[in-house]
Amino acid sequence: MSVITARDVEQAKGELVVSSRDVVTPLARERARDLGVALRVGGAHAPAAQAPKVELARQRARSEPAKPEVALPPSAALYRRGAPLPAHVAARPRVAVVGAGHVGASTAQRLAELDRFDAVTLVDVVPGLAAGIALDLWHGAALRGFDTRIEGSDDLGAIAGAAYLVVTAGKPRQPGMSRTDLTNVNAEIIRTVGAAVRAKAPDAVVVVVTNPLEEMTHLMGEVTGFPAERVLGMAGVLDASRFRSLVALTGVARPAEISAHALGSHGPEMVIPLSHASVRGEPLERLLDTATLGAIVERTRDSGAEVVKLLQKGSAYFSPAESAARMIRAMVTGDPEVLDVCVRTRGAYGTVDTRLGLPARLGPTGLVAIEELALRPNELAALRGAAERIAERIRALG
Ligand SMILES: NC(=O)c1ccc[n+]([C@@H]2O[C@H](COP(=O)([O-])OP(=O)(O)OC[C@H]3O[C@@H](n4cnc5c(N)ncnc54)[C@H](O)[C@@H]3O)[C@@H](O)[C@H]2O)c1
């Protein structure tokens, strides 16, 4: 079964042959009417072989109204504007991933495998890179069982029409590269990408992955001029997952049974409030001693560097991709799960107004609400301190 979209109709010449199992979207039908494209059932699932059954059924029940001899696309009532559509047809937005490097390629794969999108568009400045990765990923669709098209382009204009964007374009930190060097290089890239986002996908929700995370999320907000609810940064989802996975190594529980938050910055000012770390509701502090917990918090903070050191070239990408895809999934499905997201604080938790990792609920149009956790005084102080240092770094961006 395929979903026939308006784009398929636009590319057809006079007639579009669809299978009787295909789903034709309302917009596709409208475009077909406007462009005079005939939708005809045929191809692999053409009902030619079913005709005798139809005839037989008619002979059995002569009082029934005659069924049409000519096969038509599936019931029009199903696709009339406003009529209830199957969820997989009604909610299939497009998502674009900018940057087809390690994180971008893996994110595109995760998103396609969700099978919730009309298409995943991957874009990279390197000619052929995004198209090659897109084709390679698509070659696995039959095995993995998804029907989300994956497209690749070296033209940023290809993001047009995307409802969601994941921005992974930019350099990862190389050995010997200072934070300032990284900021300068990636700021230029974010300015270029942000200008394209503003022009081509003005209604999109943007998830920034490029480091340094808080600065680049802020810059994306400035360049696009989008409301803060539509410019989010990915860090806390990853850092909280790292913490939970490392806690699981002690044997107390499986990773998914452990709850925790990672707030503040994606770096030295990361705040993991142990007052909100638990295993199936039982406080983690009752299960593990202070020294063990302190060591796990430290290792979580240094996890990115630990992976870089082992890889020797490049930085982590499987778990970052999983984290970015999780944020997009939460928005598309309207999942009420609370995720740690880099958001504009607007004074939440008594912080200065900056970009900071805070617990948040997401919805189809981005940030729905910042969740107010009851933090201990030391956790709150650490969070406010993190916000101040991030604000200083953002000021230094100019
Ligand atoms: N927030 C996080 O938790 C987190 C985790 C991992 C990586 N990162 C960051 O994500 C970024 C990407 O990491 P990676 O490992 O995928 O790097 P990578 O070098 O493998 O890929 C980056 C890609 O961006 C492309 N690119 C550069 N400029 C572009 C532009 N203007 N338009 C489109 N594409 C462009 C490059 O050609 C390259 O293919 C880095 O900044 C890294 O530090 C963040």
Side-chain angles (χ1 to χ4, degrees):
M1 185 211 73
S2 302
V3 177
I4 307 298
T5 65
R7 203 152 39 98
D8 298 317
V9 171
E10 282 158 10
Q11 284 165 359
K13 303 227 171 349
E15 182 183 78
L16 182 62
V17 180
V18 300
S19 142
S20 57
R21 291 194 204 155
D22 287 347
V23 170
V24 184
T25 67
L27 199 57
R29 283 172 183 276
E30 275 182 18
R31 287 301 285 154
R33 262 198 310 275
D34 295 344
L35 300 173
V37 173
L39 294 174
R40 189 172 69 73
V41 171
H45 305 299
Q50 295 166 11
K53 283 189 207 154
V54 172
E55 198 45 47
L56 196 63
R58 230 182 270 150
Q59 283 166 10
R60 282 201 196 117
R62 294 204 174 275
S63 57
E64 279 181 20
K67 289 184 181 167
E69 293 295 329
V70 182
L72 295 170
S75 167
L78 186 62
Y79 307 111
R80 207 184 309 120
R81 194 173 269 286
L85 288 167
H88 68 284
V89 178
R92 286 183 79 94
R94 290 168 65 82
V95 59
V97 180
V98 183
H102 288 91
V103 181
S106 275
T107 303
Q109 181 179 18
R110 291 278 169 268
L111 291 170
E113 286 172 358
L114 288 176
D115 206 17
R116 302 287 307 221
F117 301 98
D118 178 32
V120 175
T121 303
L122 193 53
V123 185
D124 200 288
V125 281
V126 177
L129 178 66
I133 288 170
L135 187 60
D136 188 12
L137 291 175
W138 177 245
H139 285 160
L143 300 172
R144 192 72 198 183
F146 62 84
D147 189 34
T148 291
R149 297 293 189 270
I150 313 177
E151 304 158 345
S153 175
D154 49 25
D155 176 5
L156 268 172
I159 65 173
Y164 302 96
L165 281 149
V166 180
V167 177
T168 72
K171 294 255 175 297
R173 193 150 165 187
Q174 313 285 341
M177 203 177 193
S178 74
R179 194 186 172 95
T180 314
D181 294 340
L182 182 73
T183 305
N184 292 341
V185 172
N186 286 349
E188 259 330 287
I189 294 174
I190 291 296
R191 283 191 186 100
T192 307
V193 174
V197 172
R198 188 184 56 209
K200 301 288 180 185
D203 300 318
V205 181
V206 188
V207 173
V208 177
V209 176
T210 308
N211 276 324
L213 197 269
E214 292 82 25
E215 289 96 309
M216 295 306 114
T217 306
H218 167 83
L219 196 55
M220 180 61 76
E222 293 292 295
V223 177
T224 56
F226 287 2
E229 288 73 17
R230 289 203 280 121
V231 183
L232 311 169
M234 187 291 289
V237 174
L238 170 63
D239 295 327
S241 176
R242 281 173 169 165
F243 176 78
R244 294 161 66 202
S245 302
L246 292 174
V247 167
L249 292 181
T250 64
V252 287
R254 292 163 58 84
E257 293 171 323
I258 299 161
S259 305
H261 290 276
L263 314 175
S265 85
H266 183 49
E269 305 94 4
M270 188 186 299
V271 180
I272 297 182
L274 293 178
S275 60
H276 288 271
S278 60
V279 173
R280 293 183 297 269
E282 185 165 7
L284 207 49
E285 288 172 314
R286 272 198 224 143
L287 299 169
L288 294 173
D289 61 68
T290 311
T292 306
L293 277 173
I296 296 173
V297 168
E298 273 313 299
R299 190 170 176 198
T300 303
R301 244 183 232 132
D302 292 340
S303 282
E306 191 179 350
V307 174
V308 169
K309 201 169 160 201
L310 288 165
L311 292 177
Q312 295 188 12
K313 200 168 171 240
S315 59
Y317 54 99
F318 289 118
S319 51
E322 190 72 57
S323 307
R326 183 59 163 261
M327 287 174 66
I328 299 287
R329 190 187 85 174
M331 290 188 257
V332 173
T333 60
D335 192 332
E337 175 185 24
V338 174
L339 296 173
D340 300 330
V341 179
C342 177
V343 292
R344 186 164 164 189
T345 59
R346 290 204 173 104
Y349 288 86
T351 60
V352 293
D353 187 18
T354 189
R355 305 271 169 172
L356 186 72
L358 291 177
R361 271 185 298 108
L362 305 180
T365 54
L367 176 71
V368 172
I370 292 172
E371 289 290 307
E372 287 275 349
L373 301 180
L375 297 181
R376 291 173 181 155
N378 64 326
E379 295 167 343
L380 204 50
L383 197 57
R384 288 175 183 161
E388 270 159 31
R389 281 190 289 283
I390 292 167
E392 276 164 29
R393 290 202 289 268
I394 286 177
R395 269 197 298 278
L397 263 181

